[in-house]
Amino acid sequence: MKDKNVTLKQICAIFIALLPPIKIIATPSLLAERCAEKLWFPPIILCVLDLILIFLILKASKKHDYKNAFEILCETYSTTFAKVIFFIWGTFFLSKSLIPLLEHKRLIESNFYETLQKAPVFFPFFAVCLYVAAKGVKSIGQVCQILAPVTLVSLILVLYLSISPGDYKTLLPLFNINVKNGAISALNVCLWFNDAIYLIFFTTAFKGKKHLYTKLAVCYCIPFILTIAVYVAFYAIFSSIASTQTHAVSSMSIFSLTLVNIGRFDHLAVFLLSLCSVVAIALPVSCSVKCFCVCFNVKKRIFIALAVVAILLSLTLAFENRYREVIDFYFSYLSPFVFACGYGLPLLLLGKKRGEKNALQKV
Amino acid sequence: MKVYKSIFKNRDFLKNQISAEDVIYYDFKSGDKSFLAVYVDSITDKNQLGELLIRPILQQQPQNFDETFKKLQIANVTPFENLSDLKDELLSGKSLLFINGETKALSCDFLAFQTRSVAEPPTSTVVKGPREGFNESIKTNLSMVRRRLKVADFSVEFLKIGKYTKTNVAICYVASIVDEKIVKDVKSKLNKIDIDGIPDSSYVAKFIVSKPTSPFRQVGNSEKPDVLVQKLLEGRVAIMVDGSPIVLTVPYMLIEDFQNPEDYFINNYRGNMVRVIRAISVLIAILLPAVFVSAQLFHLQLIPLNFLLTIVNSVKGIPLSPSFEIFFTLLIFEILNEASIRMPKYVGMALSIVGALVLGDTAVKAGIVSTPAIMIMALSGICLYTVPELVDSMSVLRLIFLTVGGSIGGYGIILTCVFLAFYLCDIENFGVPLLAPYTPLKIADLKDGVYLDFINEMKKRPQTLGSKNKTRLSNKKQVKNER
């Protein structure tokens, strides 16, 4: 598990570039469906959880002398246990990529290819995904340094075009919050958030860095604030019909008067965000490949990458027209598993080394 | 094999080994001693040979080898005992002097090549700034660099590459600045080259890159001594090849191609503007035809209504589909481009008329292609030449994007961009990534990227190159006063 080459700047770039794109496709409508005008509340709960998780992972990393997650688990528990955990994480990351992938596919097909046979258009994605997954997380980090400004500019453009037509009174009253509903919704949508988990792959990159938590928290919060702004603008535009707008990012700016004379200029921003989405979806795929490589002790990533992408392709083919059913199934049965994998399992890294445990027991 | 005592045996040996008729064997007597001068007629300065070698011998009548060696007033004289070494010296253009009864001979440098005069290179012209360019003589090129770089640690190391051509290759660097690992790596890669001949430096470039099959350049080059000196001062290594006016520089970063020497000579604000224009132009050149075709075929909503009406009116009756139409115009453009480079200059005017009027205007009037297609292709073609160094790879990329955009539309373009980004991030040479300083990000190096800072503010050498001496500008007070 070699992740020493990823730098802190690259981790920050991953946060900025890849966090927002997959959260602004169908997530706003799903949140609106559950929380109506309080759609911003569950993400804030998840943001707080993510910030805590970032803190805990950094603490665990420091505690174990900046070893990688697999070494920490082996040291703390046992190699078999570490492999089991990595297998669970591999499956978790695979599921983390599937639903955003289905959303991305629907966005591309319904917005950009209304009149075309859709299959040949989307399937080259899997070839690119395979290439990216085979390259590894380090390459994603490098590319994100270029993509970070692209994501920010596109988000700001979408926001600029969609901010004026909204009726912001629909978001009032602001603090009349049903906390229980918010918490359940947060549990349901944690799949799209829970980005702090990626840090388990970068524990070796933190060595000797100062103000780590501040830097990572800031880089996490900047795109998060922009995402929340998109949610707010989205609900202000569509209010009660927001839950029916399954492609938030492309439908938000349609009412902008700027577009009357210059065509669907906003689609360029959507295209750019889709570009970032491709990498954002490839990130969990790549993490999944990494987990399985560690788990099965395979050195050639390409074989595992091929298997993972093949599974993803077959799942996409199986569920391409059943997005709603997949979402309902996920909300009903899978979200607790995802929550546990995303927020619970990383806490295992905080465990004490086996030697220390024995010493304590003796005492 | 040792030199024979008899000059005639030496002559016979050389005649057997070298069958060239432009090798001259001139035997003469001075006092009691017989001498044999051997030189290659076509590359020897015979006046110098006569005045500096033969005349002193005739006048002073030396009696043995040592006396002859002492009495010659020439700088580049080397004694040899081995006949094979002397043969190699002769083939590299040196003149030989054998003395009858001696087992040593002299090799003297009276080389005289016909070289092109120093002129402005056609590929990097400037309005303001030095106009000198390298020519095909490695000595002239080195002299131009030496004139600008008056430091003791400007190092030049020679080696010969090519089994048949034995081309002189010089590795140049400033020892106190350059990262030694790079120099070591360059030497090791050059020493591994085992080829018949090196006609040009571009041959060498192909052997020292990490991805030889990549369509992207991985070695920088320069035809101008002022640019080369700046690159050396940043911590790069230069590779000069005898017979080539193009000097290679490593490590290479993609951003170098956006840096024109003139940017530093003109007003900084204008310098920034032209750099941004170059970056935008490259994007337009690669993506515009593909975006135009995919918008026409798949994403009509992207095109503003008025422009859409113009396109609809102009493509009415055009027999070709949008993608074939652009392919056709691209093909015509590439043919015209290729022909204009290769054809004799006196037919250039005729080609312009045929290209611009017959193929452009008439094709539109005949209804073969539409006006927007011609305009898009022309714009793309012009934009491509704002960064001439990238023309080779960008024209290939344009074709790939056009094919993808024409077959699966905008999403294909997106996927190709993602693939390209990962591919480019993966390329690195001599430990320096191609996309540095953008990824891996080196904030200090961004001062000389698409954004150009004031020269007074560029106090450090590029961090990416790992220079030993990091400071380039240290006298802060003086700089402020000058400003």
Side-chain angles (χ1 to χ4, degrees), chain A residues 276-294:
Chain A
C276 301
S277 297
V278 172
V279 185
I281 296 164
L283 175 64
V285 177
S286 189
C287 291
S288 176
V289 170
K290 196 166 190 171
C291 286
F292 288 129
C293 280
V294 171

Side-chain angles (χ1 to χ4, degrees), chain B residues 435-447:
Chain B
L435 292 187
Y438 293 98
T439 177
L441 186 65
K442 296 274 180 198
I443 292 167
D445 292 1
L446 297 181
K447 287 182 176 180

Side-chain angles (χ1 to χ4, degrees), chain B residues 230-251:
Chain B
Q230 283 309 313
K231 289 191 174 189
L232 290 172
L233 290 177
E234 285 187 341
R236 289 189 179 83
V237 176
I239 302 165
M240 284 186 185
V241 176
D242 199 14
S244 173
I246 295 169
V247 177
L248 306 176
T249 56
V250 288

Side-chain angles (χ1 to χ4, degrees), chain B residues 208-307:
Chain B
I208 59 172
V209 295
S210 61
K211 288 194 171 185
T213 52
S214 170
F216 294 94
R217 222 150 75 80
Q218 292 155 66
V219 174
N221 63 43
S222 177
E223 279 196 78
K224 299 186 73 180
D226 56 307
V227 177
L228 184 74
V229 167
Q230 283 309 313
K231 289 191 174 189
L232 290 172
L233 290 177
E234 285 187 341
R236 289 189 179 83
V237 176
I239 302 165
M240 284 186 185
V241 176
D242 199 14
S244 173
I246 295 169
V247 177
L248 306 176
T249 56
V250 288
Y252 162 77
M253 294 179 273
L254 191 68
I255 194 67
E256 281 176 51
D257 289 337
F258 293 86
Q259 300 165 335
N260 191 296
E262 205 172 331
D263 300 348
Y264 306 94
F265 307 145
I266 57 173
N267 177 308
N268 185 267
Y269 299 102
R270 172 74 188 160
N272 267 299
M273 204 174 97
V274 290
R275 283 208 178 169
V276 172
I277 286 173
R278 273 181 221 132
I280 295 172
S281 301
V282 167
L283 288 178
I284 291 176
I286 306 167
L287 294 174
L288 186 67
V291 170
F292 179 70
V293 167
S294 68
Q296 265 198 81
L297 287 170
F298 307 105
H299 322 294
L300 283 172
Q301 70 272 37
L302 274 180
I303 306 172
L305 186 64
N306 291 337
F307 186 39

Side-chain angles (χ1 to χ4, degrees), chain B residues 93-110:
Chain B
K94 305 279 175 65
S95 305
L96 310 180
L97 181 75
F98 293 94
I99 306 161
N100 205 19
E102 299 287 344
T103 53
K104 285 182 194 170
L106 293 172
S107 160
C108 318
D109 188 354
F110 295 119

Side-chain angles (χ1 to χ4, degrees), chain A residues 36-50:
Chain A
E37 76 277 3
K38 301 292 176 299
L39 80 169
W40 50 268
F41 182 61
I44 284 178
I45 297 175
L46 292 167
C47 174
V48 172
L49 286 178
D50 265 348

Side-chain angles (χ1 to χ4, degrees), chain B residues 175-447:
Chain B
S176 58
I177 297 175
V178 75
D179 180 1
E180 276 154 17
K181 274 185 219 160
I182 299 174
V183 180
K184 209 174 160 187
D185 205 4
V186 169
K187 280 185 206 165
S188 119
K189 283 184 176 175
L190 288 178
N191 281 324
K192 279 179 193 160
I193 302 174
D194 185 18
I195 189 173
D196 283 355
I198 297 285
D200 183 67
S201 57
S202 55
Y203 261 57
V204 175
K206 288 184 174 75
F207 285 98
I208 59 172
V209 295
S210 61
K211 288 194 171 185
T213 52
S214 170
F216 294 94
R217 222 150 75 80
Q218 292 155 66
V219 174
N221 63 43
S222 177
E223 279 196 78
K224 299 186 73 180
D226 56 307
V227 177
L228 184 74
V229 167
Q230 283 309 313
K231 289 191 174 189
L232 290 172
L233 290 177
E234 285 187 341
R236 289 189 179 83
V237 176
I239 302 165
M240 284 186 185
V241 176
D242 199 14
S244 173
I246 295 169
V247 177
L248 306 176
T249 56
V250 288
Y252 162 77
M253 294 179 273
L254 191 68
I255 194 67
E256 281 176 51
D257 289 337
F258 293 86
Q259 300 165 335
N260 191 296
E262 205 172 331
D263 300 348
Y264 306 94
F265 307 145
I266 57 173
N267 177 308
N268 185 267
Y269 299 102
R270 172 74 188 160
N272 267 299
M273 204 174 97
V274 290
R275 283 208 178 169
V276 172
I277 286 173
R278 273 181 221 132
I280 295 172
S281 301
V282 167
L283 288 178
I284 291 176
I286 306 167
L287 294 174
L288 186 67
V291 170
F292 179 70
V293 167
S294 68
Q296 265 198 81
L297 287 170
F298 307 105
H299 322 294
L300 283 172
Q301 70 272 37
L302 274 180
I303 306 172
L305 186 64
N306 291 337
F307 186 39
L308 188 64
L309 291 174
T310 312
I311 294 173
V312 169
N313 285 331
S314 59
V315 298
K316 211 185 286 173
I318 302 287
L320 301 171
S321 70
S323 32
F324 275 105
E325 192 187 2
I326 290 282
F327 265 120
F328 180 70
T329 41
L330 178 65
L331 181 71
I332 298 286
F333 177 79
E334 291 291 348
I335 291 170
L336 286 174
N337 187 21
E338 188 60 21
S340 63
I341 295 166
R342 312 270 165 247
M343 70 168 32
K345 278 185 182 159
Y346 53 83
V347 259
M349 186 68 86
L351 181 88
S352 309
I353 294 166
V354 171
L357 294 178
V358 180
L359 292 175
D361 194 35
T362 320
V364 173
K365 280 182 183 162
I368 298 168
V369 289
S370 65
T371 327
I374 296 272
M375 200 197 79
I376 294 287
M377 225 33 254
L379 192 57
S380 167
I382 292 165
C383 285
L384 197 65
Y385 283 89
T386 53
V387 186
E389 302 289 348
L390 290 177
V391 168
D392 296 348
S393 46
M394 294 303 142
S395 53
V396 175
L397 271 188
R398 177 170 62 184
L399 194 65
I400 294 170
F401 272 105
L402 184 56
T403 313
V404 173
S407 48
I408 53 173
Y411 191 61
I413 297 174
I414 286 173
L415 291 177
T416 314
C417 285
V418 172
F419 175 80
L420 190 65
F422 276 89
Y423 180 77
L424 288 175
C425 280
D426 203 32
I427 299 177
E428 64 172 51
N429 260 296
F430 302 98
V432 175
L434 187 69
L435 292 187
Y438 293 98
T439 177
L441 186 65
K442 296 274 180 198
I443 292 167
D445 292 1
L446 297 181
K447 287 182 176 180

Side-chain angles (χ1 to χ4, degrees), chain A residues 9 104 108 111-113 116 121-122 124-125 128 131-132 135 139-140 142-143 145-146 261-262 264 267 271 275, chain B residues 298-299 301-302 304 408-412 414-415 417-419 421-423 425-426 435 438-441 443:
Chain A
K9 281 180 197 161
H104 175 67
I108 296 297
N111 275 276
F112 301 124
Y113 297 96
L116 195 82
V121 171
F122 194 76
F125 167 85
V128 173
Y131 182 72
V132 176
K135 286 271 162 208
S139 297
I140 295 180
Q142 284 179 327
V143 169
Q145 289 189 320
I146 304 169
N261 294 322
I262 56 170
R264 289 299 304 273
H267 269 185
F271 264 121
L275 191 151
Chain B
F298 307 105
H299 322 294
Q301 70 272 37
L302 274 180
I408 53 173
Y411 191 61
I414 286 173
L415 291 177
C417 285
V418 172
F419 175 80
F422 276 89
Y423 180 77
C425 280
D426 203 32
L435 292 187
Y438 293 98
T439 177
L441 186 65
I443 292 167

